Amino acid sequence: MTSFFGVQIGFVNAADGVPEVSRDVRAKVAIGKLQVQKQAALLYVKGMTCPSCAIGIRVKLSKLDFVDRDRFKRGIEMDCNNQLLTVALKDGTSPNWTRIEQEIDNAGYVAVEWFSMQKDELKSYPFLKVAE
Amino acid sequence: MASSVWFLMASLSADEPIMNMMPRWDDGWGYQFIEEYRHESDLLLGSRALHPGYTEDVHLLHFQSVYTWDKSIRLTAKLPYVLDARREMPDGSGGKRIEHDNGIGDATLALPLKKYFNLDGKSGSWTFKPMLRLPFSGTDDYEIYDNEWGNGLGLGYEYETAKFHVHVSTSGWVYHGNEPFESWSTLDLGYNFNAWGTNAALMWETDFHYEDNGSETLLAGPALYWNINDTAHFRIEWKHDFHDRQGVMDHGNGDVFKFSLGFVF
């Protein structure tokens, strides 16, 4: 865990290669997104750097029954600069993280961790394959 | 019949639908139309213009399709159609003889096997690609396509960051008839940017073609890719022959223009 501007950050080790975005920058962007987007899931997807190559993420995830396709672009917003993925959730639903991880894998990418804000702190939770 | 065949293989060998990128996801599929126009300025033997001003103009339409089973296994099929091809040849008495070709060309099947990697800020793949040429072309005044069976093998490496991408590949073909061995090598460099709410890429692409009859061509030029939406993708490119040497008498010193529209699902 790392402390960043007083925020506890629990990134898993994803800094193989030469990251274009530091963990601190990504955390700051993630906080901003979580403060603005309600009823949405926020993930770090490793390798999601090209919006065209990553279209499959939208193709796969938008078919999940808890995704609100009326928001964003078919329910999915891709921030390829920071490799952050936002999934709009239907009211009253919660994300099925196992399905999300599987579909991102089917699309050719790696779901590393998802984020939430708890008492103004950014918390991160590694996906199963990464945690193993 | 080697004449004019070499450059067409660029379309067939170097790039894969859709725009070399998609679909990366399993059970994805797509198709792509490429309109290609090429103008050759001279009739060459070696690097010398044996008949300057003897031109060749070729207008083609390529139909290409792709299906991705698993994200690491694709099957692609490419079928070209010669809308019109016209070339000027010496008639043996100091004048020009005009020859034409049109109709269906030779099809290519390929099985690109991809090994992807995902890093923090970078994603890419290695590609191993067996290929098969199917002789579908007919007989006209001259033939753009060989009408020969062929076997090819391609290797590639590419990676992409949010701002840049690099693509390197090489491929070789052997034919079952009289056509010489040929190879294509490519280096593509691209800069990614956002435009009108979508993403696009500006590229500089360099190709080198070699045939073991002594022919070699280096061509390069810019390309623009535009992601219209998740389904539709557009690309335009222009390449110029910077170095052209023909081992047998053939047209050269040309330019090629391509307009591509691809759909992916």
Side-chain angles (χ1 to χ4, degrees), chain B residues 125-180:
Chain B
S125 66
W126 295 89
T127 303
F128 177 81
K129 182 172 64 173
M131 297 178 283
L132 178 67
R133 180 73 39 80
L134 307 173
F136 286 169
S137 58
T139 303
D140 285 295
D141 298 339
Y142 79 111
E143 291 304 317
I144 294 292
Y145 289 91
D146 304 330
N147 198 26
E148 286 186 3
W149 287 90
N151 299 95
L153 192 62
L155 300 171
Y157 169 76
E158 61 190 320
Y159 76 84
E160 188 143 12
T161 69
K163 292 185 177 65
F164 303 102
H165 70 262
V166 177
H167 175 220
V168 183
S169 67
T170 189
S171 60
W173 282 95
V174 290
Y175 297 97
H176 297 197
N178 298 321
E179 286 301 314

Side-chain angles (χ1 to χ4, degrees), chain B residues 235-255:
Chain B
R235 177 184 160 102
I236 182 171
E237 69 177 78
W238 164 44
K239 284 195 179 78
H240 176 73
D241 292 349
F242 285 95
H243 166 72
D244 209 347
R245 185 184 190 285
Q246 297 296 339
V248 295
M249 190 172 69
D250 198 0
H251 289 82
N253 294 339
D255 293 272

Side-chain angles (χ1 to χ4, degrees), chain A residues 10-107:
Chain A
F11 280 100
V12 298
N13 182 16
D16 39 1
V18 180
E20 283 203 333
V21 178
S22 71
R23 294 187 299 174
D24 290 349
V25 169
R26 184 176 295 120
K28 195 172 180 180
V29 175
I31 291 170
K33 289 179 183 291
L34 287 171
Q35 287 174 338
V36 173
Q37 298 296 346
K38 304 302 178 189
Q39 192 59 14
L42 183 66
L43 307 78
Y44 164 39
V45 178
K46 191 159 63 169
M48 192 184 71
T49 56
C50 166
S52 295
C53 308
I55 284 172
I57 292 176
R58 183 179 289 113
V59 169
K60 296 291 184 183
L61 291 184
S62 64
K63 293 174 182 172
L64 299 178
D65 54 8
F66 54 83
V67 174
D68 183 356
R69 292 168 54 91
D70 295 332
R71 292 163 60 197
F72 305 140
K73 203 170 180 179
R74 286 192 286 162
I76 307 296
E77 182 189 70
M78 291 187 284
D79 174 358
C80 289
N81 288 319
N82 299 292
Q83 301 176 77
L84 289 171
L85 180 75
T86 308
V87 181
L89 305 174
K90 290 178 180 172
D91 288 340
T93 66
S94 55
N96 181 330
W97 297 112
T98 304
R99 292 289 308 280
I100 288 176
E101 181 181 25
Q102 182 59 52
E103 296 300 351
I104 290 174
D105 181 70
N106 290 339

Side-chain angles (χ1 to χ4, degrees), chain A residues 14-21 23 26 44 46-53 55-56 58-60 73-74 80-81 83 105-110, chain B residues 21-22 24-28 71 116-123 160-164 192 194 197-199 225 227-231 233 264-265:
Chain A
D16 39 1
V18 180
E20 283 203 333
V21 178
R23 294 187 299 174
R26 184 176 295 120
Y44 164 39
K46 191 159 63 169
M48 192 184 71
T49 56
C50 166
S52 295
C53 308
I55 284 172
R58 183 179 289 113
V59 169
K60 296 291 184 183
K73 203 170 180 179
R74 286 192 286 162
C80 289
N81 288 319
Q83 301 176 77
D105 181 70
N106 290 339
Y109 293 89
V110 178
Chain B
M21 291 185 286
M22 295 162 279
R24 180 170 169 160
W25 54 97
D26 62 7
D27 204 30
K71 60 197 174 199
Y116 287 103
F117 57 86
N118 289 296
L119 306 176
D120 190 357
K122 181 192 285 188
S123 182
E160 188 143 12
T161 69
K163 292 185 177 65
F164 303 102
N192 305 326
N194 295 317
T198 65
N199 68 294
Y225 159 76
N227 177 344
I228 301 171
N229 55 44
D230 280 358
T231 301
H233 304 263
V264 66
F265 305 92

Side-chain angles (χ1 to χ4, degrees), chain B residues 61-139:
Chain B
L61 184 64
H62 302 268
F63 176 72
Q64 306 183 342
S65 61
V66 56
Y67 176 70
T68 302
W69 262 292
D70 178 85
K71 60 197 174 199
S72 60
I73 305 173
R74 297 183 192 180
L75 176 65
T76 65
K78 306 175 188 179
L79 185 64
Y81 189 87
V82 183
L83 296 170
D84 184 42
R86 173 191 183 277
R87 72 174 182 179
E88 297 172 342
M89 297 294 285
D91 64 1
S93 58
K96 291 180 180 178
R97 184 179 74 245
I98 307 299
E99 297 179 338
H100 290 272
D101 180 28
N102 58 54
I104 200 166
D106 294 339
T108 301
L109 296 177
L111 187 69
L113 305 174
K114 314 278 282 188
K115 174 65 177 174
Y116 287 103
F117 57 86
N118 289 296
L119 306 176
D120 190 357
K122 181 192 285 188
S123 182
S125 66
W126 295 89
T127 303
F128 177 81
K129 182 172 64 173
M131 297 178 283
L132 178 67
R133 180 73 39 80
L134 307 173
F136 286 169
S137 58
T139 303

